[in-house]
Amino acid sequence: MRVLLTGHQGYLGTVMAPVLKAAGHEVVGLDAGLFADCVLGEQPADPSGHRVDLRDVTAEHVAGVDAVIHLAALSNDPLGSLAPELTYDINHHASVRLARLARDAGVRRFLYASTCSVYGAAGGDDLVTEDAPLRPVTPYAESKVRVEDDLHALADDDFTPVFMRNATAFGYSPRLRADIVLNNLVGHALLSGEVLVLSDGTPWRPLVHAADIARAFTAALTAPREAVHDRAFNIGSETNNVTVAEIAEQVAEAVSGAKVRITGENGADPRSYRVDFSRFRAAIPGFDCEWSVKQGALELADAYRKFDLTREDFEQRFTRLAVLRAASDAGAVDDTLRWRR
């Protein structure tokens, strides 16, 4: 299958591309390249592809493609809140436009990287299923809800959108992100000896390793149409539903000598939800996540040591908001996050 993978030079895309190739697919990348240089370790071997802003995609980019895996987005809550109008422009409008172009070009399947943060303020200890009310509390999560609604309207006998609601990602990727919870806490533990939690530690978080996300998308790509057509799936594992305080304890176990400090200075986080992941396992018999939070913390600690992670890189080169601010300050991108060159 010839697969267009958007965001192939991002945190998840860099892990997913080789998994797709190993499954026998031809991968064509599409990425604006904003984070292409955010590499920790060996330079990844990217698939051939297009260096293009998602907002500038044309019919030519989806011609001859059997399926689209759409990961590209402004990718976390602080980034979305910084420029909500850009979040909706890129994450919502450009994503739906890509889907329309793909459908018109005869693409049969469109796997969309949504998020469990669409449940936002679900609260409580009950497991949240895909049929639960959506309560997004950030522009990032709201943009995902809007795309799901619009892709649902595009579904027909020849075009199958699938909504992959990923839990919060963790784990090593050659294009690291340090601004997601487990990756961030492990870095702080190694660099400072302290596992610093600014919230009160009580919110629930569902976590999933980047490699398990890649395996899930690869499985959904070739699953029977009737199993996945126009359906939403939570991607993750119930065993990785953990509180932020529990994540911190796992990190302290992985990083010898590190001490947990929960300050609570940011107060209670309204984003709290435990998630049910059984629908995807039922749709894809034999699939289950392989990585635990503890395994991920150990993997990250080993990678950070092996590749000599520095505080400057941790806080600047591997933090998405800092990367974009630096590019803007240097005049490399304009105020709409488009390359000037």
Side-chain angles (χ1 to χ4, degrees):
M1 187 178 291
R2 191 165 193 259
V3 181
L4 179 68
L5 176 64
T6 76
H8 73 288
Q9 292 180 316
Y11 171 70
L12 291 179
T14 301
V15 174
M16 193 175 297
V19 174
L20 291 168
K21 286 184 177 181
H25 301 293
E26 177 189 354
V27 182
V28 179
L30 189 149
D31 201 297
L34 291 171
F35 308 109
D37 296 331
C38 300
V39 175
L40 180 69
E42 297 181 3
Q43 186 71 28
D46 294 327
S48 61
H50 312 285
R51 176 62 68 89
V52 62
D53 191 293
L54 186 62
R55 293 164 289 186
D56 299 328
V57 170
T58 67
E60 179 183 353
H61 297 116
V62 292
V65 169
D66 300 303
V68 172
I69 295 179
H70 181 37
L71 306 178
L74 288 182
S75 55
N76 67 351
D77 293 329
L79 202 58
S81 298
L82 174 72
E85 70 284 355
L86 289 181
T87 298
Y88 295 123
D89 190 24
I90 295 170
N91 291 9
H92 177 205
H93 300 299
S95 295
V96 175
R97 181 171 172 274
L98 170 67
R100 288 197 182 101
L101 288 170
R103 185 188 64 170
D104 292 346
V107 173
R108 305 284 295 183
R109 190 161 297 190
F110 191 97
L111 305 187
Y112 176 59
S114 189
T115 172
C116 282
S117 65
V118 296
Y119 303 119
D125 292 336
D126 293 337
L127 292 177
V128 176
T129 72
E130 291 84 350
D131 297 323
L134 305 185
R135 298 187 176 99
V137 297
T138 64
Y140 171 73
E142 175 65 29
S143 72
K144 296 292 186 178
V145 173
R146 293 184 185 185
V147 174
E148 286 194 21
D149 287 343
D150 289 346
L151 293 188
H152 169 68
L154 294 177
D156 60 26
D157 291 343
D158 299 315
F159 184 70
T160 291
V162 187
F163 316 113
M164 306 285 277
R165 294 178 181 167
N166 300 318
T168 299
F170 68 85
Y172 172 70
S173 165
R175 287 193 175 91
L176 183 70
R177 282 187 59 190
D179 51 8
I180 41 184
V181 61
L182 185 64
N183 298 12
N184 184 267
L185 292 179
V186 173
H188 273 296
L190 275 171
L191 294 168
S192 70
E194 191 171 70
V195 188
L196 182 63
V197 177
L198 300 181
S199 74
D200 62 7
T202 62
W204 287 100
R205 285 288 183 276
L207 302 186
V208 63
H209 196 284
D212 284 327
I213 293 175
R215 292 174 52 247
F217 274 73
T218 302
L221 197 61
T222 55
R225 178 182 180 276
E226 61 273 15
V228 297
H229 178 74
D230 196 24
R231 299 185 74 192
F233 296 100
N234 297 328
I235 304 301
S237 169
E238 287 84 359
T239 58
N240 288 343
N241 279 317
V242 285
T243 67
V244 175
E246 289 171 339
I247 298 171
E249 293 294 340
Q250 296 275 24
V251 172
E253 290 183 20
V255 181
S256 179
K259 304 297 183 183
V260 175
R261 184 161 72 96
I262 298 176
T263 70
E265 62 191 77
N266 288 349
D269 192 327
R271 298 167 300 167
S272 181
Y273 39 88
R274 296 177 68 232
V275 179
D276 184 310
F277 299 99
S278 60
R279 177 185 287 183
F280 192 70
R281 292 194 299 271
I284 312 292
F287 179 87
D288 208 349
C289 290
E290 297 178 349
W291 284 81
S292 69
V293 174
K294 183 175 182 179
Q295 289 170 325
L298 290 167
E299 177 204 34
L300 286 161
D302 287 345
Y304 290 172
R305 293 189 187 101
K306 177 180 179 180
F307 299 121
D308 298 319
L309 179 71
T310 67
R311 180 173 293 278
E312 181 180 5
D313 278 347
F314 179 70
E315 295 177 351
Q316 298 296 320
R317 197 154 60 96
F318 302 125
T319 297
R320 292 297 190 246
L321 189 54
V323 170
L324 292 181
R325 280 177 168 161
S328 178
D329 291 345
V333 299
D334 62 21
D335 58 5
T336 69
L337 301 183
R338 292 182 184 274
W339 290 112
R340 291 188 186 276
R341 62 178 182 271

